[in-house]
Every structure is written in structure tokens, then in C-alpha cells.
Amino acid sequence: MPDSPGQADHPDEQAADGTASGLHEDQIAAEDLARLREAVVLRTISPAITPAEPRRVEPGITPRSGLRLAVAPLPGKPRIRRLKPELGKAAVRRDLRRALTQPIGRRNLLIGELRREQERQLYRRLYEQYGEEARRLEVAAVYAHVPPEATYSARVTDDLRSLYFILPPDVSPRGIESGHFLVVLRDPHGKTSTALLRLD
Amino acid sequence: MAALTYLDVEALTADCFMGGLLTVNELGLPTEFLYSEPIRPSKLQIGLYGTTLGRYVMVDVIGKGLLDGSQARGAPVVVGSAELLALATRCKRPLLHLSATNQRPLGDVGDVRESTDTEFAAQLDEVRSPYIVRIYDRINFVVDQHLPVLTECAARFEPLEPLSRIRRTLEVIQHDAG
């Protein structure tokens, strides 16, 4: 009789009374009986290798549980904000009316800036306007292209170097003709006056 | 009909800019006026742009914005500061900067005395001193083509005077805005 389950060489040989050894249970020591039962159980296990149930294994490296407390959790991606340093487009407004409220400047013409023919015309017009009195008047300054519509607003600087005028709001700059000259006249007493003359 | 456009951008304060564009006809009378709302760069923009901020605001933001809005497409543009000549890379309009001199007249109207590729003296009217003309390059400003517009206007009005009108108008707008 084998003393261990693995020593049962002939598993098909069985006694008529149903026991492995042919002995009655009361004839067998309790310890031997336990061994015998264990051997019978083991012999009924199929020796074939059965595939194990497949288990999903995560390939990722996970921190060991002991380290989890030591490593601060990192966010998945750093938060990147895109700042817009560009100033964009300037808000542009159209306001011709406001520009027309600004005085428009003209400078005193220098000798030689009037063409010879214009100079002749100037003195002829003065004679037509003032008669013999024109001989006593001195031409102190001449400003070119002063619109007749704006003469009411014309202001001459003290040194006579410049004249400024403002276009009336109801007058379109596109409709204004050139060729009007504003002349500052000075009489023998130093008193000044102005005349608007058309010179071609 | 000749027309000239004038463009200027002013620093109202160290960090506040405003610009104006005035187009005048051959008599110097206004036919178009545009202005930009004041631009105040943020602290972030001041930090990021550093010393280039002023140029960026004047040229790319205000100057280009005003020129894009102008309807006087072909008129040469007289800029208030030579810094604005860089607009030539952002638009197709001829740009120039003018400054007066006390030099003796060069001779006939339209005469030019070359100095450098981007600067020359030009006789714009009959008897007065020539002006120094600064340009971006000879491609943007073609002397034979664009200088006659200047001389035609200078025969009727002082070619720098409209710039002072832009400044005054911007002051009025600022004042009215409170």
C-alpha cells in the first residue's frame, strides 16, 4: 500500500467493497483514513492543464501605493493662456464739420510772388475802387485765395505775416473759386483797411 | 484737381495717442477729416512692446487705420513726423515729410537738390526758401510724378499750414470729450 497519494500506481484497481485498499473503515486508523480520502480526492482531479481566465493588465506605470502620498499630483497639461498684445484697429471717425471750424491760414505774399500782370491788375482795381485816394494808400500786405464767403471772419496777425479765416458752415469747400486776394491798405495816418480784389 | 492729405499722430500723454487725417483741395480748404479715438495701451502692451510701443501705435494702429479710412486715394500724404514714413510699407500712397528751411531759393519751381536717397531739397514756390523733403524710398515717392502736386498746392497756400489745423482740431475734440 502506498504511503502517500502519489504512490497509487494502479488507480483502476479497486476492491469489491468499494474501498481503495479492500479494508473496512473501522480497521483503518483515523490518520490513515484521512490520508486515504485525500488521495482519492486528488486522484479524481483532472491532470489536464486548463487555460486560466485572461486578466487585463494595465501596462502603465503606476506609482507604488507607498509613493502616492509623497508625490504631489500633477495636472495633465499646464494651463497656457494666450495674451493678445495687439491693440487692434483704431476706431476712426469722420468729422469734416469740426475741421471746418478751424481757421485756415494764408501768409502775406512776398515781392515777386504776384505775377507782373496780377500786380498791374491790383493797382488798377484799387484806382477803380478808391479813385485818386488810391495814390495815398500803401499796400501793406496781400493774401492770396481768400474766399469772398469768408472775408467776414478774416483776421490778420499784428505783424501782418498771416491771415486766418473760417469758412461758413453752409459753404462747401468744393464750390469755392480761387483768385480773390485780400489786400491790407495803410493810409498816411497809419490807419489800415482791407479790400478784396479779384485778380486773374 | 490737386489734393494733399495731411496725417499726424500725437502723444497726448506718455501712454495716450490720437491721430488726425486732413485732406485739402488745391486751395488748402478741407474736403475730408478723420480722427482716431484716443488709444491707451494697457500695462501688458506697454511691457511687451517696450520702446517700440510708440512706433507701433503711431504707424500700425493709428496711421494705417486713418489711411485705410481715407477716400482721397491718390493724394500724396504729408506726415507730421518722419517716423510716420514707415507707413509706406503698409499702404500704397506716396508719403513725405516736409520741413521749412532758411536756405536761398534753388531756382525754378520744382527744382530739386539731391542730398541722399531719402532726402532732398525742393523748390516748391517762386520766391521762398526751399523745403527739405524726406521720403521712405524712391519707389513709394516718385519725384517726377508726385512733386508737381506739391508745387501746385504750394503756389496757393503754405504747404505746412494744414498740419497745425489737425493739431488744433484734435485739441478741440479732446476738450469736447472732457
XYZ file of all heavy atoms in Angstrom, chain A residues 83-96 98-113 144-145 147 164-165 167 173-174 176-179, chain B residues 22 25 27-37 39 41 44-45 48-49 56-57 61-62 65-66 69 71 125 127-128 131 154 156-158 161 165 168-169 172-173 176:
684
model
N -2.165 85.646 -24.459
C -2.462 87.060 -24.262
C -2.457 87.752 -25.618
O -1.739 87.337 -26.522
C -1.401 87.689 -23.357
C -1.299 87.061 -21.977
C -0.115 87.642 -21.226
C -2.568 87.298 -21.193
N -3.262 88.742 -25.772
C -3.327 89.468 -27.047
C -2.681 90.831 -26.875
O -3.347 91.781 -26.449
C -4.772 89.615 -27.500
C -5.361 88.304 -27.983
C -6.690 88.538 -28.663
C -7.186 87.258 -29.311
N -8.473 87.434 -29.938
N -1.405 90.939 -27.232
C -0.755 92.236 -27.050
C -1.136 93.235 -28.127
O -0.908 94.422 -27.973
C 0.728 91.901 -27.119
C 0.795 90.678 -27.967
C -0.487 89.929 -27.743
N -1.725 92.770 -29.239
C -2.059 93.709 -30.305
C -3.147 94.677 -29.840
O -4.048 94.296 -29.095
C -2.560 92.979 -31.561
C -1.547 92.053 -32.184
C -1.609 90.674 -31.598
O -2.539 90.402 -30.839
O -0.696 89.874 -31.884
N -3.046 95.895 -30.338
C -4.038 96.899 -29.970
C -5.239 96.884 -30.905
O -6.190 97.618 -30.719
C -3.399 98.291 -29.984
C -2.573 98.615 -28.737
C -1.618 99.744 -29.005
C -3.482 98.979 -27.591
N -5.166 96.063 -31.915
C -6.286 96.011 -32.854
C -6.326 97.232 -33.736
O -5.324 97.911 -33.924
N -7.496 97.515 -34.270
C -7.641 98.677 -35.154
C -8.090 99.891 -34.362
O -8.873 99.761 -33.415
C -8.674 98.376 -36.240
C -8.127 97.589 -37.408
C -9.160 97.559 -38.530
C -8.528 97.052 -39.808
N -9.491 97.069 -40.913
N -7.605 101.027 -34.800
C -8.041 102.264 -34.152
C -9.469 102.567 -34.602
O -9.814 102.355 -35.762
C -7.116 103.407 -34.549
N -10.271 103.033 -33.672
C -11.627 103.471 -34.028
C -11.504 104.823 -34.728
O -11.036 105.791 -34.143
C -12.481 103.591 -32.781
N -11.853 104.849 -36.009
C -11.685 106.066 -36.814
C -13.041 106.729 -37.034
O -14.023 106.051 -37.364
C -11.034 105.712 -38.172
C -11.021 106.909 -39.091
C -9.623 105.192 -37.945
N -13.083 108.022 -36.820
C -14.331 108.768 -37.018
C -14.122 109.846 -38.076
O -13.030 110.365 -38.238
C -14.778 109.415 -35.704
C -15.037 108.392 -34.626
C -15.747 108.991 -33.450
N -15.893 108.003 -32.393
C -16.831 107.064 -32.374
N -17.715 107.002 -33.349
N -16.907 106.188 -31.387
N -15.178 110.137 -38.777
C -15.152 111.118 -39.863
C -15.887 112.370 -39.392
O -17.019 112.267 -38.926
C -15.849 110.500 -41.075
C -15.683 111.195 -42.378
C -16.315 110.368 -43.480
N -15.536 109.166 -43.740
C -14.484 109.148 -44.546
N -14.109 110.242 -45.170
N -13.807 108.029 -44.753
N -15.244 113.535 -39.467
C -15.880 114.741 -38.938
C -15.356 115.984 -39.667
O -14.570 116.756 -39.119
C -15.613 114.846 -37.427
C -16.526 115.869 -36.769
O -17.176 116.648 -37.497
O -16.591 115.886 -35.537
N -15.786 116.163 -40.895
C -15.339 117.320 -41.675
C -15.865 118.622 -41.065
O -15.183 119.641 -41.083
C -15.802 117.172 -43.130
C -15.432 118.317 -44.071
C -13.920 118.482 -44.156
C -16.011 118.099 -45.461
N -16.192 119.534 -38.040
C -15.334 120.039 -36.980
C -14.038 120.635 -37.551
O -13.545 121.645 -37.065
C -14.999 118.904 -36.010
C -14.370 119.372 -34.763
C -15.085 118.996 -33.494
N -15.417 117.612 -33.328
C -15.813 117.114 -32.149
N -15.864 117.886 -31.100
N -16.153 115.856 -32.036
N -13.529 120.016 -38.619
C -12.299 120.554 -39.237
C -12.565 121.915 -39.862
O -11.685 122.777 -39.901
C -11.772 119.581 -40.291
N -13.785 122.102 -40.349
C -14.121 123.379 -40.989
C -14.260 124.522 -39.985
O -14.299 125.689 -40.367
C -15.424 123.233 -41.794
C -15.277 122.491 -43.120
C -16.640 122.134 -43.694
C -14.488 123.323 -44.119
N -14.347 124.207 -38.717
C -14.427 125.271 -37.706
C -13.041 125.837 -37.387
O -12.948 126.845 -36.689
C -15.057 124.760 -36.396
O -14.218 123.737 -35.862
C -16.449 124.212 -36.626
N -12.012 125.187 -37.883
C -10.660 125.671 -37.598
C -10.252 126.749 -38.604
O -10.515 126.616 -39.814
C -9.655 124.519 -37.674
C -9.823 123.526 -36.560
C -9.792 124.185 -35.196
O -8.891 124.968 -34.903
N -10.789 123.909 -34.379
N -9.589 127.809 -38.123
C -9.153 128.868 -39.045
C -8.153 128.332 -40.080
O -7.301 127.516 -39.763
C -8.467 129.871 -38.114
C -8.973 129.557 -36.753
C -9.259 128.095 -36.735
N -8.328 128.818 -41.279
C -7.432 128.446 -42.382
C -6.459 129.598 -42.594
O -6.878 130.765 -42.635
C -8.256 128.166 -43.659
C -9.174 126.957 -43.405
C -7.349 127.930 -44.868
C -10.302 126.822 -44.393
N -5.192 129.281 -42.681
C -4.168 130.323 -42.720
C -3.727 130.676 -44.133
O -3.717 129.841 -45.031
N -3.385 131.932 -44.326
C -2.744 132.414 -45.553
C -1.583 133.312 -45.133
O -1.711 134.070 -44.167
C -3.732 133.227 -46.407
C -4.886 132.416 -46.959
C -4.434 131.574 -48.127
N -5.557 130.964 -48.810
C -5.903 129.673 -48.684
N -5.221 128.875 -47.877
N -6.927 129.191 -49.367
N -0.494 133.260 -45.828
C 0.637 134.109 -45.462
C 0.744 135.287 -46.432
O 0.303 135.193 -47.582
C 1.937 133.301 -45.446
C 2.238 132.663 -46.764
C 3.406 131.737 -46.673
N 3.633 131.093 -47.960
C 4.488 130.125 -48.148
N 5.213 129.671 -47.152
N 4.638 129.601 -49.345
N 1.306 136.333 -45.919
C 1.496 137.539 -46.719
C 2.427 137.223 -47.898
O 3.486 136.613 -47.730
C 2.112 138.628 -45.820
C 2.249 139.950 -46.535
O 1.698 140.145 -47.617
N 2.979 140.865 -45.926
N 2.002 137.618 -49.058
C 2.819 137.348 -50.238
C 4.066 138.237 -50.226
O 4.012 139.404 -49.822
C 2.024 137.613 -51.517
C 0.802 136.718 -51.751
C 0.198 137.016 -53.126
C 1.166 135.234 -51.660
N 5.161 137.670 -50.673
C 6.393 138.440 -50.777
C 6.441 139.133 -52.134
O 5.700 138.775 -53.063
C 7.603 137.504 -50.642
C 7.713 136.730 -49.325
C 8.891 135.761 -49.396
C 7.863 137.688 -48.165
N 7.314 140.117 -52.210
C 7.507 140.791 -53.504
C 7.966 139.747 -54.522
O 8.877 138.962 -54.256
C 8.565 141.900 -53.375
C 8.040 142.965 -52.416
C 8.900 142.501 -54.732
C 9.102 143.952 -51.979
N 7.310 139.729 -55.626
C 7.681 138.758 -56.646
C 6.745 137.570 -56.698
O 6.732 136.826 -57.673
N 5.945 137.368 -55.612
C 5.021 136.228 -55.634
C 3.794 136.534 -56.481
O 3.153 135.613 -56.975
C 4.617 135.837 -54.210
C 5.708 135.026 -53.507
C 5.213 134.309 -52.263
O 5.173 134.948 -51.207
O 4.869 133.121 -52.351
N -3.378 135.651 -50.712
C -3.973 135.040 -51.909
C -5.088 134.065 -51.552
O -5.055 133.419 -50.504
C -2.889 134.314 -52.689
N -6.040 133.964 -52.457
C -7.092 132.943 -52.403
C -7.863 132.962 -51.080
O -7.937 131.949 -50.371
C -6.501 131.562 -52.683
C -5.721 131.523 -53.962
N -6.298 131.722 -55.191
C -4.381 131.393 -54.188
C -5.369 131.674 -56.118
N -4.200 131.488 -55.546
N -11.544 133.235 -49.848
C -12.885 133.167 -50.435
C -13.743 134.355 -49.999
O -13.709 134.744 -48.824
C -13.454 131.859 -49.864
C -12.283 131.107 -49.353
C -11.257 132.098 -48.958
N -6.015 134.672 -41.125
C -6.797 133.458 -40.856
C -8.267 133.729 -41.123
O -8.778 134.798 -40.790
C -6.610 132.996 -39.407
C -5.204 132.527 -39.131
C -4.249 133.415 -38.632
C -4.827 131.219 -39.382
C -2.949 132.995 -38.394
C -3.525 130.788 -39.145
C -2.594 131.689 -38.651
O -1.314 131.273 -38.437
N -8.920 132.776 -41.733
C -10.362 132.901 -41.969
C -11.033 131.555 -41.713
O -10.381 130.505 -41.683
C -10.650 133.379 -43.394
C -10.207 132.424 -44.476
C -11.024 131.389 -44.910
C -8.963 132.574 -45.087
C -10.608 130.512 -45.904
C -8.551 131.700 -46.083
C -9.368 130.677 -46.498
N -14.368 129.180 -42.920
C -15.429 129.008 -43.917
C -16.784 128.912 -43.207
O -16.889 128.237 -42.183
C -15.211 127.719 -44.703
C -14.223 127.764 -45.869
C -14.219 126.419 -46.571
C -14.616 128.847 -46.864
N -16.517 123.582 -49.460
C -15.182 123.948 -49.945
C -15.000 123.662 -51.427
O -14.193 124.297 -52.095
C -14.253 123.061 -49.110
C -15.058 122.634 -47.936
C -16.466 122.597 -48.390
N -15.782 122.701 -51.932
C -15.614 122.322 -53.342
C -16.138 123.397 -54.291
O -15.725 123.464 -55.434
C -16.341 120.999 -53.615
C -15.781 119.848 -52.796
C -16.564 118.562 -53.017
N -16.351 117.611 -51.923
C -15.308 116.809 -51.815
N -14.373 116.824 -52.723
N -15.188 115.991 -50.789
N -15.881 126.666 -53.940
C -15.242 127.972 -53.784
C -14.240 128.217 -54.905
O -13.421 127.344 -55.241
C -14.564 128.054 -52.399
C -15.661 128.214 -51.346
C -13.566 129.206 -52.330
C -15.178 128.216 -49.944
N -14.314 129.439 -55.456
C -13.423 129.782 -56.569
C -12.131 130.394 -56.041
O -12.112 131.035 -54.991
C -14.109 130.804 -57.476
C -15.248 130.230 -58.296
C -15.861 131.300 -59.188
O -15.268 132.388 -59.298
O -16.920 131.042 -59.757
N -11.084 130.202 -56.794
C -9.809 130.825 -56.438
C -9.734 132.199 -57.118
O -10.595 132.555 -57.934
C -8.655 129.950 -56.896
O -8.687 129.816 -58.298
N -8.726 132.976 -56.760
C -8.481 134.231 -57.461
C -8.856 135.477 -56.713
O -8.673 136.584 -57.234
N -6.247 114.978 -42.540
C -6.964 116.074 -43.190
C -6.590 116.097 -44.667
O -5.409 116.157 -45.010
C -6.571 117.400 -42.530
C -7.130 118.680 -43.145
C -8.627 118.808 -42.904
C -6.409 119.906 -42.569
N -8.050 120.582 -50.662
C -8.001 120.739 -52.108
C -6.873 121.702 -52.500
O -6.072 122.102 -51.652
C -9.367 121.182 -52.654
C -9.769 122.561 -52.138
O -8.965 123.281 -51.541
N -11.015 122.926 -52.365
N -6.761 124.690 -52.917
C -6.784 125.978 -52.208
C -6.500 125.822 -50.716
O -6.573 126.785 -49.967
C -8.146 126.661 -52.390
C -8.496 127.084 -53.806
C -9.908 127.675 -53.860
C -7.491 128.111 -54.320
N -6.244 124.590 -50.310
C -5.986 124.346 -48.898
C -7.238 124.235 -48.069
O -7.172 124.274 -46.836
N -8.390 124.101 -48.717
C -9.659 124.009 -47.986
C -9.968 122.537 -47.691
O -9.765 121.677 -48.558
C -10.795 124.631 -48.809
C -10.554 126.072 -49.265
C -11.727 126.579 -50.099
C -10.334 126.982 -48.056
N -10.479 122.257 -46.500
C -10.683 120.856 -46.105
C -11.766 120.173 -46.934
O -12.824 120.758 -47.172
C -11.130 120.949 -44.640
C -10.883 122.345 -44.214
C -10.872 123.186 -45.439
N -11.492 118.973 -47.361
C -12.508 118.167 -48.040
C -12.746 116.853 -47.305
O -13.685 116.128 -47.619
C -12.082 117.849 -49.490
O -10.817 117.207 -49.466
C -11.988 119.116 -50.320
N -11.893 116.544 -46.351
C -12.039 115.285 -45.607
C -11.283 115.414 -44.294
O -10.167 115.933 -44.265
C -11.439 114.132 -46.432
C -11.417 112.795 -45.733
C -10.678 111.736 -46.565
O -9.498 111.959 -46.894
O -11.275 110.703 -46.869
N -11.911 114.966 -43.227
C -11.192 114.924 -41.950
C -11.567 113.664 -41.188
O -12.749 113.362 -41.016
C -11.511 116.153 -41.081
C -10.774 116.127 -39.768
C -9.402 116.343 -39.722
C -11.429 115.841 -38.584
C -8.710 116.292 -38.514
C -10.741 115.791 -37.367
C -9.377 116.026 -37.346
N -10.566 112.933 -40.786
C -10.759 111.727 -39.985
C -9.910 111.839 -38.733
O -8.838 112.431 -38.770
C -10.309 110.466 -40.753
C -10.886 110.176 -42.119
C -10.159 109.013 -42.761
C -12.350 109.827 -41.982
N -10.391 111.270 -37.669
C -9.542 111.208 -36.477
C -9.754 109.873 -35.782
O -10.774 109.202 -35.983
C -9.842 112.373 -35.520
C -11.191 112.334 -34.858
C -11.347 111.783 -33.597
C -12.309 112.859 -35.493
C -12.593 111.752 -32.984
C -13.545 112.825 -34.879
C -13.681 112.271 -33.626
O -14.920 112.230 -33.033
N -8.772 109.499 -35.020
C -8.880 108.231 -34.288
C -9.275 108.532 -32.855
O -8.917 109.565 -32.300
C -7.546 107.485 -34.309
O -6.633 108.122 -33.449
N -10.011 107.627 -32.277
C -10.293 107.730 -30.842
C -8.963 107.588 -30.105
O -8.053 106.922 -30.598
C -11.236 106.592 -30.424
C -12.620 106.712 -31.022
C -13.472 107.725 -30.258
O -13.590 107.581 -29.037
O -14.009 108.647 -30.891
N -6.000 106.247 -28.112
C -5.552 104.870 -27.873
C -4.720 104.862 -26.589
O -3.736 105.586 -26.486
C -4.681 104.367 -29.042
C -5.496 104.356 -30.347
C -4.067 103.016 -28.738
C -6.305 103.133 -30.578
N -2.636 102.201 -24.522
C -2.148 100.822 -24.388
C -2.238 100.373 -22.924
O -2.091 101.192 -22.007
C -0.690 100.915 -24.837
C -0.595 102.186 -25.603
C -1.589 103.108 -25.001
N 0.113 95.640 -19.908
C 0.666 94.446 -20.569
C 1.305 94.840 -21.897
O 2.429 94.429 -22.214
C -0.456 93.437 -20.804
C -0.097 92.254 -21.695
C 0.784 91.286 -20.947
C -1.339 91.556 -22.208
N 0.582 95.634 -22.695
C 1.114 96.047 -24.006
C 2.351 96.929 -23.829
O 3.310 96.806 -24.578
C 0.025 96.775 -24.787
C -1.059 95.817 -25.258
C -2.394 96.495 -25.514
O -2.668 97.583 -25.017
N -3.235 95.821 -26.279
N 5.140 94.516 -23.049
C 5.550 93.636 -24.150
C 6.218 94.396 -25.289
O 7.146 93.904 -25.914
C 4.335 92.877 -24.689
C 3.797 91.774 -23.779
C 2.521 91.183 -24.363
C 4.821 90.672 -23.593
N 5.739 95.598 -25.572
C 6.293 96.341 -26.704
C 7.506 97.169 -26.328
O 8.329 97.493 -27.182
C 5.214 97.251 -27.319
C 4.281 96.495 -28.220
C 3.111 95.954 -27.742
C 4.592 96.306 -29.559
C 2.259 95.244 -28.564
C 3.742 95.605 -30.394
C 2.574 95.076 -29.889
O 1.740 94.375 -30.706
N 4.743 101.473 -32.952
C 3.681 100.530 -33.308
C 2.314 101.220 -33.286
O 1.515 101.074 -34.216
C 3.716 99.343 -32.336
C 2.503 98.452 -32.403
C 2.249 97.678 -33.531
C 1.595 98.393 -31.353
C 1.135 96.871 -33.602
C 0.477 97.586 -31.418
C 0.252 96.825 -32.547
O -0.875 96.036 -32.614
N 2.074 101.978 -32.244
C 0.774 102.649 -32.129
C 0.619 103.703 -33.227
O -0.425 103.788 -33.882
C 0.621 103.299 -30.732
C -0.650 104.129 -30.665
C 0.590 102.228 -29.656
N -1.247 101.087 -35.862
C -2.618 101.165 -35.338
C -3.324 102.426 -35.842
O -4.326 102.345 -36.547
C -2.603 101.131 -33.790
C -4.025 101.210 -33.257
C -1.933 99.848 -33.299
N -2.761 103.593 -35.525
C -3.480 104.833 -35.847
C -3.245 105.254 -37.301
O -4.189 105.493 -38.055
C -3.065 105.960 -34.882
C -3.484 105.573 -33.453
C -3.702 107.292 -35.285
C -3.111 106.587 -32.398
N -4.801 102.907 -39.767
C -6.259 102.985 -39.640
C -6.823 104.221 -40.329
O -7.838 104.151 -41.019
N -6.141 105.337 -40.169
C -6.610 106.577 -40.795
C -6.469 106.515 -42.315
O -7.373 106.916 -43.053
C -5.830 107.767 -40.242
C -6.141 108.150 -38.783
C -5.146 109.184 -38.275
C -7.557 108.677 -38.657
N -9.066 104.465 -43.954
C -10.383 105.095 -43.990
C -10.479 106.277 -44.935
O -11.573 106.740 -45.238
N -10.630 108.562 -48.214
C -11.182 108.342 -49.557
C -10.357 109.043 -50.642
O -10.608 108.857 -51.821
C -12.626 108.836 -49.594
C -13.540 107.977 -48.724
C -14.931 108.534 -48.587
O -15.183 109.694 -48.887
N -15.851 107.712 -48.111
N 7.820 126.857 -54.391
C 7.139 128.051 -54.924
C 8.174 129.019 -55.498
O 9.375 128.730 -55.509
C 6.247 128.708 -53.867
C 7.005 129.023 -52.589
O 8.223 129.234 -52.677
O 6.390 129.044 -51.515
N 9.436 132.248 -54.850
C 10.478 133.092 -54.256
C 10.905 132.682 -52.844
O 11.880 133.206 -52.336
C 10.005 134.566 -54.195
C 9.819 135.101 -55.592
C 8.728 134.687 -53.384
N 10.188 131.766 -52.229
C 10.517 131.429 -50.836
C 11.630 130.386 -50.780
O 12.055 129.848 -51.806
C 9.276 130.934 -50.106
C 8.229 132.042 -49.958
C 7.030 131.584 -49.193
N 5.971 132.582 -49.273
C 5.731 133.483 -48.328
N 6.445 133.519 -47.235
N 4.743 134.353 -48.482
N 12.124 123.634 -49.390
C 11.756 122.751 -48.275
C 12.644 121.511 -48.330
O 13.060 121.075 -49.414
C 10.294 122.317 -48.385
C 9.300 123.408 -48.044
C 8.965 124.393 -48.967
C 8.693 123.452 -46.791
C 8.059 125.391 -48.657
C 7.785 124.450 -46.472
C 7.470 125.412 -47.405
O 6.570 126.402 -47.092
N 1.492 124.465 -53.249
C 2.318 125.476 -52.578
C 2.199 126.839 -53.258
O 2.494 127.866 -52.636
C 3.769 125.022 -52.558
N -0.501 128.176 -53.871
C -1.727 128.800 -53.359
C -1.770 128.895 -51.826
O -2.449 129.746 -51.292
C -2.941 128.007 -53.853
C -3.105 128.084 -55.371
C -4.363 127.353 -55.775
N -4.728 127.660 -57.141
C -4.382 126.897 -58.171
N -3.665 125.813 -57.972
N -4.752 127.234 -59.392
N -1.112 127.960 -51.154
C -1.109 128.041 -49.674
C 0.195 127.463 -49.144
O 0.890 126.720 -49.848
C -2.329 127.327 -49.082
C -2.379 125.830 -49.338
C -1.829 124.927 -48.437
C -2.981 125.333 -50.484
C -1.882 123.574 -48.674
C -3.046 123.966 -50.729
C -2.484 123.081 -49.825
N 0.481 127.813 -47.914
C 1.726 127.357 -47.291
C 1.594 125.863 -47.000
O 0.662 125.452 -46.279
C 1.948 128.146 -45.998
C 3.388 128.197 -45.535
C 3.773 126.951 -44.780
O 3.128 126.646 -43.790
O 4.731 126.278 -45.219
N 0.969 124.488 -43.371
C -0.076 125.069 -42.519
C -1.174 124.079 -42.133
O -1.608 124.059 -40.964
C -0.666 126.303 -43.228
C -1.671 127.086 -42.430
C -3.096 126.630 -42.658
O -3.393 126.088 -43.745
O -3.898 126.793 -41.738
N -3.668 122.718 -38.371
C -5.123 122.594 -38.227
C -5.497 121.239 -37.627
O -6.445 121.130 -36.859
C -5.788 122.752 -39.598
C -6.077 124.199 -39.940
C -6.861 124.274 -41.207
N -6.013 124.585 -42.347
C -6.356 124.403 -43.608
N -7.527 123.885 -43.890
N -5.545 124.744 -44.582
N -4.911 121.490 -33.919
C -5.929 122.284 -33.231
C -7.265 121.526 -33.154
O -7.954 121.555 -32.138
C -6.128 123.623 -33.955
C -4.962 124.601 -33.778
C -5.417 126.028 -34.053
N -6.010 126.183 -35.357
C -5.354 126.524 -36.477
N -4.067 126.763 -36.407
N -5.975 126.648 -37.629
N -7.596 120.846 -34.247
C -8.867 120.109 -34.255
C -8.838 118.970 -33.235
O -9.824 118.720 -32.537
C -9.166 119.558 -35.665
O -8.993 120.598 -36.622
C -10.576 119.017 -35.762
N -9.495 120.358 -29.902
C -10.921 120.649 -29.699
C -11.680 119.365 -29.383
O -12.510 119.321 -28.466
C -11.511 121.321 -30.966
C -13.024 121.425 -30.875
C -10.899 122.705 -31.149
N -11.388 118.305 -30.120
C -12.080 117.036 -29.884
C -11.788 116.531 -28.473
O -12.679 116.093 -27.754
C -11.655 115.998 -30.938
C -12.199 116.412 -32.311
C -12.127 114.599 -30.569
C -11.603 115.646 -33.473
N -13.696 118.702 -26.037
C -15.130 118.405 -26.036
C -15.431 117.078 -25.357
O -16.496 116.895 -24.757
C -15.669 118.377 -27.468
C -15.675 119.778 -28.079
O -15.387 120.749 -27.333
O -15.935 119.905 -29.289
